[in-house]
Amino acid sequence: MAKAITPREENYSEWYLDIVKKANLAANSAVRGCMVIKPYGFGIWERMQRQLDDMFKETGHVNAYFPLFIPKSFLSREAEHVEGFAKECAVVTHHRLMNDPNGGGVVVDPTAKLEEELIVRPTSETIIWHTYRDWITSYRDLPLLINQWANVVRWELRTRLFLRTAEFLWQEGHTAHATADEALEEALRMQEVYATFAEEYMAMPVLRGVKTANERFAGALDTYTIEALMQDGKALQAGTSHNLGQNFAKAFDVKFSNADNQEEYVYATSWGVSTRLVGGLIMTHSDDEGLVLPPRLAPTQVVIVPIPKPNDALNAKARELMDELKACGVRVSYDDDDKQRPGFKFAENELKGIPVRLGIGQRDLDKGTIEVARRDEKTKSNQPIEGIVDHVVNLLDEIQQNLFDRAVRFREEHTTYVDTFEEFQAVLDRDIPGFIHAHWDGTTETELKIKEMTKATIRCIPQDQSEEPGKCILTGAPSRGRVVFAKAY
Amino acid sequence: MAKAITPREENYSEWYLDIVKKANLAANSAVRGCMVIKPYGFGIWERMQRQLDDMFKETGHVNAYFPLFIPKSFLSREAEHVEGFAKECAVVTHHRLMNDPNGGGVVVDPTAKLEEELIVRPTSETIIWHTYRDWITSYRDLPLLINQWANVVRWELRTRLFLRTAEFLWQEGHTAHATADEALEEALRMQEVYATFAEEYMAMPVLRGVKTANERFAGALDTYTIEALMQDGKALQAGTSHNLGQNFAKAFDVKFSNADNQEEYVYATSWGVSTRLVGGLIMTHSDDEGLVLPPRLAPTQVVIVPIPKPNDALNAKARELMDELKACGVRVSYDDDDKQRPGFKFAENELKGIPVRLGIGQRDLDKGTIEVARRDEKTKSNQPIEGIVDHVVNLLDEIQQNLFDRAVRFREEHTTYVDTFEEFQAVLDRDIPGFIHAHWDGTTETELKIKEMTKATIRCIPQDQSEEPGKCILTGAPSRGRVVFAKAY
Ligand SMILES: [Zn+2]
Ligand SMILES: [Zn+2]
């Protein structure tokens, strides 16, 4: 029931979990930190996948699949990468179970110990670059533009459905190039693909920026990020794209002979987004009545509710409307349950975030109108049946745009420019702190100190920002431009 | 190069691996038994996935995602299931690596031992039925029609790319029903979906049948199978659908209250097909020149080759043709490499199994014709440019049908009815043994004895077969009808 959702004001984190659970998006499983993605939640992820996959293919990428397991020794190859990833992960040590000789079910067969332990991939750079060694010999083999849809595992201590789970679903692009410039271009191109997806499909505005050395991906030269602002004023890193330079090529000895027949190490990128995006989607748009979905990603865009109950005439009208809407590419369903009252159904449909609800009652129909309710603004109006399909199609676009505009407005209202540490702290102490643009002296030392003092991290150094000399809010040392701080997920 | 493919006559198993490798479908990885699916191979799997997914949705199923890991104790719950699956599997025992104190890279952190070991799913019945317990309380929650696309791991000793690998990709449907009849209907429905997919998309004819008790899925009442015949006369189990009865519901205590408000255990099915299908596709149609793909699953259906080299006029003509073909939904590419001669390109395109090749040369174009080569029959003809698009569209359908008809003919030619063990053995000793219909006394003892003596197994008890009393080829005991024997993958 919609009523049982904890209001955001009361407890944002409970509100989030209530939405995830009551809208049937996901649930915790019997395995610590691993979630079950329920059909409705998976339907949203499927739409994200399909759209991203199309965008990857339009930019020249193909899909492939690499092993789930990584030999332990691979993680020792790239020095920084091992620091970043070879920590909390699932380690396979045996390959057989046997019946317990004492009758207690199954036990691990001690004789089936692996010679070398296998790690369940936390990310696939190492196994993929080991493979690329066999695939690349000449500049004619480049660029290699490959993506993989996969599950990965990072043994997180604190987990939260979609936002941070031990196992999650994602895509990881891994590309190989003949020049440093091409790799840089690719990393930036994919950051922009992510930004476009976030803004045009998720209706979630994002900042585009570069990560600091401290926040960058283990083994990368630079990490490009898109950062979104959630309704509680915390940032969500929504996607990252890494320019890996020649680091992985060197670690896995991947060389190519260039057009002048000289051997050179290959240049690389990697980039990924995950089921975390579903969490970001929820926290960007939803309200105390439940989920709010942008029409482009909603599994059901329009629901038709018969008022007060289904009957032959209303069913026929609904069927007719559905056919017309489907012909226009609208995903529509008919809520023909005859046991529940309209009020109950309205609340259910709101909880599920269905963008548009059409109420059809005999009295309205006789007057030639239909009740149209929009989920984003929770408003209703009576519309003429004549032209209703066009009206709905346009309304879906309007809702998509409105959600984006609303999120942009929210971000603007929660973006602050501060010049002193006092101001900085004051903004962070607000209920909804948001993005803080402030000067920083460029050192990891200062960055870590600020994090320790305030829990705020540097989300990114914005890419579209003009230079503006200033003084670091903590040390007063000179700065070339503001960076964006926030508390983050 | 196509030349390097081992002929089937010489060594069928080498021929298979040569195709997989030289057509760039897959490769072995650094992890024993795990394969890398290369972009071209993955392109075929993606088309299979998309089509199957559409068929699952048309039959009312939705997708979801369940955890990769299964607590070890779950495997002890269903007694038969544990016998069948809790053997060779990947066991996760630790959740952390650390830097080797002696400087030797990373080692497993002995303090990070899991309280209960986790098994990488070999199949998901147990974790899913544990979950369904929370989802099902009333008949109104049924049926539950869920599918998952996932990777699974079975620690196989002998592996072969696509056909048997430690990790493979598959889909697993897991449904829950209120009655035994409904579960049976569902199991049969999905077997038929698989058969339709195999025959209409893969152009691979299949036998529909029931597995014997000995060959059935661990924990099932009955396993329905589709069995295909490969060119070496061995059978391939291409898909299975299991009627699980109430076994898993009992093991995981999943009850529902029926319409009369009485508690009852839920009825279940599960069904799956895997990347093994790619192996079956290869072995059904391909030849000594390389891969042969049915048009409906070919990533590229038509390739245009300029003769002898690309030039402005030919490029313009190719562009025009491509636009027209694409407008008709044909997947077409242009082989405009100007470094390779046509003969080389023809061999490459044959190796890749592209169904139709269009050769465009200035002399032919002046005469108003185009050279059309079909991969299945390796024939060429000159066709008028006028109407070429219609010709190609029809030709693709013709090739699809021809591949199926050819495979049906092959199966007919390699199907034998025998009545004595001597005849049975003689057929099995042939180069291409095929399917053997013979009487069997219905006991597991006889089945195992025949397997031990001949390596042939009972592939299935055909569902469409009328009763025909007879005598078991081994024991002479009475039989109610013939079953199908074969050597199998
Ligand atoms: Zn539980
Ligand atoms: Zn290797």
Side-chain angles (χ1 to χ4, degrees):
Chain A
M1 298 307 87
K3 297 151 206 159
I5 295 176
T6 307
R8 282 165 291 183
E9 284 271 314
E10 195 180 308
N11 186 331
Y12 189 81
S13 146
E14 282 295 313
W15 166 81
Y16 174 77
L17 289 177
D18 280 348
I19 301 251
V20 170
K21 286 173 189 176
K22 288 171 206 297
N24 271 325
L25 301 176
N28 288 311
S29 79
V31 182
R32 208 186 60 75
C34 293
M35 67 178 158
V36 172
I37 307 179
K38 299 176 87 169
Y40 195 55
F42 202 84
I44 297 169
W45 174 241
E46 262 183 318
R47 306 220 126 256
M48 289 180 164
Q49 270 193 300
R50 187 68 67 99
Q51 179 55 35
L52 284 164
D53 199 65
D54 286 348
M55 293 169 89
F56 298 157
K57 283 176 178 152
E58 273 163 31
T59 44
H61 302 85
V62 288
N63 288 327
Y65 188 76
F66 296 86
L68 172 66
F69 300 124
I70 297 176
K72 194 193 62 181
S73 60
F74 282 22
L75 290 176
S76 312
R77 297 267 196 106
E78 215 287 330
E80 288 180 44
H81 193 68
V82 62
E83 277 302 314
F85 280 99
K87 291 286 145 66
E88 294 293 336
C89 48
V91 186
V92 177
T93 57
H94 290 73
H95 65 81
R96 193 183 304 129
L97 296 174
M98 57 183 227
N99 287 319
D100 184 350
N102 306 318
V106 288
V107 293
V108 178
D109 182 343
T111 69
K113 194 169 189 310
L114 295 174
E115 266 181 57
E116 180 180 5
E117 295 89 348
L118 296 173
I119 312 307
V120 179
R121 62 185 163 214
T123 181
S124 302
E125 277 77 7
T126 57
I127 186 89
I128 288 181
W129 279 88
H130 175 85
T131 310
Y132 281 0
R133 191 178 196 279
D134 296 335
W135 294 3
I136 299 170
T137 50
S138 139
Y139 69 96
R140 279 182 299 265
D141 301 320
L142 299 172
L144 201 56
L145 303 173
I146 292 183
N147 176 60
Q148 139 168 305
W149 291 95
N151 53 344
V152 290
V153 173
R154 298 173 187 177
W155 211 263
E156 304 283 355
L157 258 180
R158 284 170 195 209
T159 61
R160 196 188 306 216
L161 292 166
F162 289 117
L163 295 173
R164 190 180 296 275
T165 48
E167 181 191 17
F168 56 91
L169 303 183
W170 79 344
Q171 60 67 218
E172 44 182 326
H174 294 276
T175 68
H177 306 267
T179 68
D181 277 359
E182 260 187 50
L184 174 60
E185 258 173 52
E186 168 77 4
L188 291 169
R189 177 182 306 119
M190 299 322 291
Q191 178 197 30
E192 195 52 34
V193 163
Y194 289 155
T196 302
F197 173 76
E199 299 192 331
E200 294 185 4
Y201 289 82
M202 297 176 66
M204 179 176 81
V206 291
L207 292 183
R208 296 149 171 85
V210 191
K211 287 286 184 187
T212 62
N214 175 57
E215 295 275 342
R216 99 172 41 119
F217 179 75
L221 298 186
D222 259 319
T223 289
Y224 301 94
T225 184
I226 58 170
E227 301 278 330
L229 189 62
M230 304 294 101
Q231 295 180 51
D232 61 347
K234 283 167 81 174
L236 184 86
Q237 176 179 305
T240 48
S241 179
H242 315 294
N243 179 3
L244 302 174
Q246 295 174 308
N247 290 346
F248 283 90
K250 283 178 182 164
F252 289 91
D253 194 33
V254 188
K255 291 178 190 165
F256 72 105
S257 58
N258 63 25
D260 302 327
N261 230 356
Q262 284 166 325
E263 288 232 309
E264 224 184 313
Y265 285 109
V266 173
Y267 297 84
T269 81
S270 68
W271 28 275
V273 297
S274 73
T275 35
R276 163 170 251 223
L277 287 181
V278 179
L281 189 73
I282 297 166
M283 290 200 294
T284 300
H285 303 300
S286 302
D287 61 24
D288 294 349
E289 271 68 59
L291 196 61
V292 174
L293 290 175
R296 285 183 157 191
L297 295 178
T300 301
Q301 296 173 307
V302 175
V303 60
I304 302 175
V305 180
I307 296 171
K309 293 244 164 176
N311 64 40
D312 287 351
L314 294 180
N315 295 353
K317 186 68 201 169
R319 185 64 46 199
E320 186 193 321
L321 270 173
M322 283 176 79
D323 287 347
E324 291 178 56
L325 285 164
K326 280 182 187 167
C328 294
V330 175
R331 298 184 289 278
V332 55
S333 73
Y334 182 43
D335 194 342
D336 63 354
D337 186 335
D338 59 4
K339 290 191 193 63
Q340 300 296 350
R341 283 170 310 142
F344 177 90
K345 293 181 180 180
F346 293 175
E348 281 291 305
N349 293 324
E350 276 172 17
L351 173 60
K352 289 161 75 182
I354 300 173
V356 171
R357 186 184 75 226
L358 301 180
I360 51 170
Q362 199 53 54
R363 217 177 316 167
D364 285 347
L365 289 179
D366 291 343
K367 284 188 282 181
T369 65
I370 280 183
E371 185 184 89
V372 180
R374 51 189 285 183
R375 175 67 183 90
D376 58 340
E377 297 293 337
K378 286 179 284 179
T379 54
K380 287 197 234 186
S381 66
N382 279 307
Q383 296 292 333
I385 296 182
E386 184 77 35
I388 190 72
V389 171
D390 282 352
H391 178 77
V392 168
V393 169
N394 291 332
L395 182 58
L396 289 170
D397 284 345
E398 197 182 320
I399 292 172
Q400 181 80 29
Q401 187 65 44
N402 181 50
L403 288 175
F404 180 71
D405 292 345
R406 211 162 78 169
V408 168
R409 225 175 304 127
F410 176 85
R411 186 178 68 179
E412 279 166 4
E413 286 162 7
H414 298 91
T415 293
T416 321
Y417 286 71
V418 306
D419 291 313
T420 67
F421 194 77
E422 206 176 10
E423 290 174 293
F424 183 72
Q425 186 66 67
V427 174
L428 286 173
D429 289 343
R430 290 180 191 165
D431 279 350
I432 302 178
F435 285 138
I436 311 178
H437 294 247
H439 284 285
W440 160 65
D441 65 16
T443 69
T444 298
E445 196 192 341
T446 300
E447 184 180 3
L448 292 176
K449 209 159 183 179
I450 293 174
K451 183 175 177 183
E452 201 192 303
M453 294 166 74
T454 66
K455 287 187 181 152
T457 51
I458 300 178
R459 303 316 306 155
C460 67
I461 304 161
Q463 280 156 296
D464 60 356
Q465 188 169 271
S466 48
E467 294 220 344
E468 180 206 334
K471 284 179 182 170
C472 176
I473 49 164
L474 188 72
T475 64
S479 144
R480 285 192 311 177
R482 291 173 191 273
V483 297
V484 179
F485 286 89
K487 289 183 183 169
Y489 278 93
Chain B
M1 297 308 86
K3 296 150 208 160
I5 295 176
T6 307
R8 280 166 293 184
E9 285 272 313
E10 196 178 309
N11 186 331
Y12 189 81
S13 146
E14 282 296 313
W15 166 81
Y16 174 78
L17 289 177
D18 280 348
I19 302 251
V20 171
K21 285 173 188 175
K22 287 173 207 296
N24 271 322
L25 301 176
N28 288 311
S29 79
V31 182
R32 208 185 62 74
C34 293
M35 69 178 158
V36 172
I37 307 180
K38 299 176 86 169
Y40 195 54
F42 202 84
I44 297 169
W45 174 242
E46 261 182 320
R47 305 219 128 257
M48 290 181 165
Q49 270 192 300
R50 187 66 68 99
Q51 179 57 35
L52 285 165
D53 198 67
D54 286 348
M55 293 169 89
F56 298 157
K57 284 176 177 151
E58 274 163 30
T59 43
H61 302 85
V62 289
N63 288 326
Y65 188 76
F66 296 87
L68 172 66
F69 300 124
I70 297 176
K72 194 193 63 181
S73 59
F74 282 22
L75 290 176
S76 312
R77 297 264 197 108
E78 214 289 329
E80 289 181 43
H81 194 68
V82 61
E83 277 303 313
F85 280 99
K87 291 286 146 65
E88 295 292 335
C89 50
V91 186
V92 177
T93 57
H94 290 74
H95 65 82
R96 194 184 304 128
L97 296 174
M98 57 182 228
N99 287 320
D100 183 352
N102 307 316
V106 287
V107 292
V108 177
D109 182 343
T111 68
K113 196 167 188 309
L114 294 175
E115 264 179 59
E116 180 180 5
E117 295 89 348
L118 296 173
I119 312 306
V120 178
R121 62 182 163 217
T123 181
S124 302
E125 277 76 8
T126 57
I127 185 90
I128 288 180
W129 278 89
H130 175 85
T131 310
Y132 281 1
R133 191 177 196 281
D134 297 335
W135 294 4
I136 299 170
T137 49
S138 141
Y139 69 96
R140 279 182 298 265
D141 301 319
L142 300 171
L144 200 56
L145 304 172
I146 293 184
N147 175 61
Q148 136 167 307
W149 291 96
N151 53 344
V152 288
V153 173
R154 299 173 188 178
W155 210 263
E156 303 284 355
L157 257 181
R158 282 166 198 212
T159 61
R160 197 191 304 220
L161 293 166
F162 289 116
L163 295 174
R164 189 180 296 274
T165 49
E167 181 191 17
F168 55 92
L169 303 183
W170 80 345
Q171 60 67 219
E172 45 182 325
H174 295 276
T175 68
H177 306 267
T179 69
D181 277 358
E182 261 187 50
L184 174 60
E185 257 174 53
E186 167 77 5
L188 292 170
R189 179 183 303 120
M190 299 322 289
Q191 179 198 30
E192 195 52 35
V193 163
Y194 290 156
T196 303
F197 174 76
E199 300 193 331
E200 294 186 6
Y201 288 83
M202 296 176 67
M204 181 176 82
V206 292
L207 292 183
R208 296 149 172 84
V210 190
K211 287 287 183 187
T212 62
N214 175 57
E215 296 275 341
R216 98 172 46 117
F217 179 76
L221 298 187
D222 259 320
T223 290
Y224 301 94
T225 183
I226 58 170
E227 301 278 330
L229 189 62
M230 305 293 102
Q231 294 178 49
D232 61 347
K234 284 167 81 175
L236 184 85
Q237 176 179 305
T240 49
S241 179
H242 316 293
N243 179 3
L244 303 174
Q246 296 175 309
N247 290 345
F248 284 90
K250 283 178 182 164
F252 289 92
D253 194 32
V254 187
K255 290 180 192 163
F256 72 105
S257 59
N258 63 25
D260 301 327
N261 229 354
Q262 284 166 324
E263 288 232 310
E264 224 184 313
Y265 285 109
V266 174
Y267 297 84
T269 82
S270 68
W271 29 274
V273 296
S274 73
T275 36
R276 164 170 251 222
L277 287 181
V278 179
L281 189 72
I282 296 166
M283 290 201 296
T284 300
H285 304 299
S286 301
D287 61 23
D288 293 350
E289 272 68 60
L291 196 61
V292 173
L293 291 175
R296 285 182 157 192
L297 294 178
T300 301
Q301 296 173 306
V302 175
V303 58
I304 302 174
V305 179
I307 296 171
K309 296 244 161 175
N311 64 40
D312 287 350
L314 294 180
N315 295 353
K317 186 68 201 167
R319 184 65 43 201
E320 188 192 320
L321 270 172
M322 284 174 78
D323 287 347
E324 290 179 55
L325 286 165
K326 281 182 187 166
C328 294
V330 175
R331 297 183 289 278
V332 54
S333 74
Y334 182 43
D335 193 343
D336 64 351
D337 185 336
D338 59 4
K339 288 189 196 64
Q340 300 294 353
R341 282 170 310 142
F344 176 90
K345 292 180 180 179
F346 293 175
E348 282 289 307
N349 293 325
E350 276 171 17
L351 174 59
K352 287 161 75 183
I354 300 173
V356 171
R357 185 183 76 227
L358 301 179
I360 52 170
Q362 199 53 56
R363 219 179 310 169
D364 285 348
L365 289 181
D366 291 343
K367 282 188 283 182
T369 65
I370 279 183
E371 185 184 271
V372 178
R374 53 190 282 183
R375 176 66 183 90
D376 58 339
E377 296 294 335
K378 285 179 285 176
T379 52
K380 286 197 236 188
S381 67
N382 280 308
Q383 296 294 332
I385 296 181
E386 185 75 35
I388 190 71
V389 170
D390 282 350
H391 178 77
V392 168
V393 169
N394 292 333
L395 183 56
L396 289 170
D397 284 344
E398 196 181 321
I399 293 172
Q400 181 80 29
Q401 187 63 44
N402 181 50
L403 288 174
F404 180 71
D405 293 344
R406 212 162 78 170
V408 169
R409 225 175 302 127
F410 176 85
R411 186 179 68 179
E412 280 167 4
E413 286 161 6
H414 297 91
T415 293
T416 321
Y417 286 70
V418 305
D419 291 312
T420 67
F421 194 76
E422 204 177 12
E423 290 174 293
F424 183 71
Q425 186 64 68
V427 175
L428 286 173
D429 288 343
R430 291 180 191 164
D431 279 350
I432 301 179
F435 285 137
I436 311 179
H437 293 247
H439 284 285
W440 160 65
D441 65 16
T443 69
T444 299
E445 195 192 341
T446 301
E447 184 181 3
L448 291 175
K449 209 159 184 182
I450 293 175
K451 183 176 177 182
E452 200 191 306
M453 294 166 75
T454 65
K455 287 186 182 152
T457 50
I458 301 179
R459 303 317 306 154
C460 66
I461 304 161
Q463 280 156 293
D464 60 358
Q465 191 169 268
S466 47
E467 294 220 344
E468 180 207 332
K471 285 179 182 168
C472 176
I473 49 165
L474 188 71
T475 64
S479 143
R480 286 190 311 177
R482 292 172 189 272
V483 299
V484 179
F485 286 88
K487 291 184 182 168
Y489 278 93

